[in-house]
Amino acid sequence: MRPRIIGATASVAALGLLGSLVTACGSSSSGSGTTLRLVAAEYGNSPASSSKAYWDKLADAFTAAHPGKEVEVTLYPWADVDREVTRMVEEGNAPDVALMGAYSDFAAQGRLYAASELLSVRAEANFLPPLAKAGSVGNTLYGLPFVASSRLLFYNKELFDNAAAEPPKTWSGLKNAAETLKQEGVLYPYALPLGPEEAHAEALIWELSNGGGYADGSGGYSIASEQNTQTFRWLKENLVAPGLTGPVPPAELNRQDAFAAFLRGEVGMLNGYPSLLHEARAKGMKVGTLSMPVANTPRDGQTFPSAGVADWMMAFKHDDNRELVGSFLEFVYQDKNLNDFAGRYHLLPSTVSATQTSKDAAADPSGAQFLNALRGAELYPVNEPSWLQVSNTIKRNIGKAVAPSADPKAVLEDIAQQVGDITEQP
């Protein structure tokens, strides 16, 4: 699934980070009751930032607190981890615990423990509500949110000051700011990354700000809703056609390329997450953050959710591994351990208590702003087993909706038809 929270790390294998990283000796067979096998995504993009250091430290601490119990960790790049775990499951060699971008297909197959089978009532109730909702199938929590991210609108304060542009609160304000920035020669007044890397994230941000989204109230998909159609028609006519989205067609602009342009000072506005803000400030950039502007001035009491993304822990059923897995997950989700990982990658912890003790949020008003956005966020419909295929369909096609010759409604209806074909598969 993922618009991965911190981006794919295809270079990881070349850096020697791919493969089994054994953190403690002992039998590695799942269900042994003594050794837990964890397969996790690699969040780093170099040996220095590899997740190995975190998991080594945590495994040692867990073994010290649970004599006789051991942890064996295998890391894979984000581009490979979903496929590798699926392969292990199909070969009858599923790990005890996996950390990756999707869980619902395994839950639908009956392969996962419910959170209530592993965690204390207090620990299960500690997850932030929007994340717990996304991690649940029906009313049962299977996908345990680990780290998360919300999205805010970033704007380059120096470019805005030079152009005397006003930070926007509505779509019309965003268009006015983009026009002013273009007049001052800004290359990307608003960067609109609808390329295949993470188009479904950018699309959802805009859809939510107009009361739309991917799912309807009954739990089905609503790709071609009237609100979504209005959104893409507005984007095409008001930002893309007037040349306010930069020299690269949105359907060809990937998120990482947009982020790189922002860090070069070429972008006036774009949607971003905490780690990008950290990178920008490390370069000395002055960046403002805002909630995503909305289509119209909200009525009294009306709110629009931000877009949120999470990565998921899941526990596979094996004979005699339930007690070990439960003890390990209770340990992982202690505030200190969760915040250590979130802080390392400038992400957001997934529990109420960890967010309250997050050093990043306490020290940085923007950190608190991201956390506040996450508390009211809407996530992808990851609890739908079809979401992995559906999200890939959206990523490949949604950028076509703003192409010069496109009819946004027809493009969205075509995507909806493909989604319907996917969901009707046996």
Side-chain angles (χ1 to χ4, degrees):
M1 162 224 145
R2 188 175 157 98
R4 309 300 184 198
I5 287 181
I6 57 173
T9 54
S11 61
V12 169
L15 293 163
L17 300 179
L18 176 60
S20 182
L21 302 171
V22 181
T23 59
C25 299
S27 169
S28 63
S29 61
S30 290
S32 68
T34 59
T35 298
L36 181 140
R37 291 173 56 224
L38 167 68
V39 173
E42 168 61 78
Y43 283 68
N45 55 16
S46 71
S49 64
S50 172
S51 304
K52 180 180 185 299
Y54 171 85
W55 292 116
D56 282 350
K57 180 181 176 182
L58 184 133
D60 289 343
F62 178 77
T63 297
H66 301 79
K69 308 298 184 183
E70 298 169 341
V71 181
E72 180 182 288
V73 182
T74 303
L75 299 180
Y76 288 101
W78 271 114
D80 301 326
V81 66
D82 288 11
R83 181 180 66 251
E84 290 297 323
V85 172
T86 298
R87 175 186 60 79
M88 293 176 190
V89 170
E90 291 174 347
E91 293 175 354
N93 189 35
D96 295 291
V97 178
L99 169 59
M100 49 194 277
Y103 73 88
S104 57
D105 47 349
F106 301 125
Q109 297 166 20
R111 298 181 183 275
L112 302 181
Y113 286 111
S116 60
E117 299 177 274
L118 302 169
L119 301 178
S120 65
V121 173
R122 181 177 181 179
E124 184 180 358
N126 195 26
F127 293 111
L128 291 168
L131 305 184
K133 178 181 178 182
S136 298
V137 178
N139 294 317
T140 303
L141 180 64
Y142 291 103
L144 309 184
F146 185 57
V147 286
S149 174
S150 59
R151 303 299 171 94
L152 296 174
L153 182 74
F154 288 26
Y155 64 97
N156 184 314
K157 285 187 173 181
E158 183 175 352
L159 296 180
F160 264 66
D161 289 344
N162 291 342
E166 292 292 329
K169 295 182 180 180
T170 62
W171 287 3
S172 60
L174 188 148
K175 178 185 178 181
N176 291 339
E179 290 173 338
T180 303
L181 292 165
K182 184 180 180 181
Q183 292 171 3
E184 292 297 316
V186 175
L187 192 60
Y188 294 87
Y190 177 85
L192 182 65
L194 293 176
E197 179 190 350
E198 204 195 34
H200 59 323
E202 181 71 14
L204 180 61
I205 292 168
W206 280 92
E207 289 168 358
L208 292 175
S209 66
N210 190 32
Y214 290 135
D216 59 28
S218 62
Y221 292 107
S222 57
I223 307 297
S225 69
E226 180 59 30
Q227 294 99 319
N228 292 348
T229 300
Q230 291 173 356
T231 295
F232 282 92
R233 184 171 290 119
W234 189 93
L235 284 169
K236 176 187 174 182
E237 295 175 356
N238 292 275
L239 293 186
V240 180
L244 301 179
T245 55
V248 179
E252 300 174 19
L253 181 64
N254 281 320
R255 178 200 59 185
Q256 288 297 339
D257 295 329
F259 283 7
F262 183 77
L263 294 173
R264 293 194 300 267
E266 298 173 351
V267 174
M269 297 172 283
L270 88 173
N271 285 301
Y273 44 61
S275 56
L276 176 63
L277 184 60
H278 174 78
E279 289 185 69
R281 288 178 173 172
K283 292 176 64 71
M285 295 178 64
K286 295 181 179 179
V287 180
T289 55
L290 297 167
S291 298
M292 176 63 189
V294 295
N296 300 293
T297 302
R299 300 185 300 272
D300 290 344
Q302 185 181 23
T303 60
F304 293 89
S306 61
V309 181
D311 297 328
W312 308 98
M313 281 273 193
M314 62 214 71
F316 289 88
K317 295 178 179 179
H318 294 289
D319 292 340
D320 197 31
N321 77 335
R322 177 175 163 181
E323 181 180 354
L324 176 60
V325 169
S327 297
F328 178 72
L329 292 175
E330 288 273 358
F331 189 77
V332 167
Y333 282 98
Q334 291 178 11
D335 291 350
K336 178 183 182 301
N337 293 330
L338 190 56
N339 275 327
D340 280 352
F341 192 94
R344 169 183 281 265
Y345 298 106
H346 305 286
L347 298 169
L348 305 176
S350 60
T351 65
V352 174
S353 58
T355 60
Q356 291 171 343
T357 60
S358 171
K359 293 180 180 179
D360 285 351
D364 181 0
S366 294
Q369 192 177 9
F370 279 110
L371 283 174
N372 288 335
L374 183 63
R375 292 186 181 105
E378 182 169 320
L379 281 74
Y380 304 117
V382 291
N383 44 15
E384 290 287 342
S386 60
W387 173 245
L388 183 61
Q389 293 183 68
V390 169
S391 64
N392 286 333
T393 299
I394 295 171
K395 284 188 287 187
R396 293 195 311 270
N397 295 286
I398 199 74
K400 299 174 184 176
V402 297
S405 60
D407 174 5
K409 181 177 179 63
V411 172
L412 294 182
E413 288 178 342
D414 180 64
I415 296 173
Q417 179 61 54
Q418 294 181 57
V419 168
D421 293 341
I422 291 170
T423 57
E424 291 172 6
Q425 294 175 4

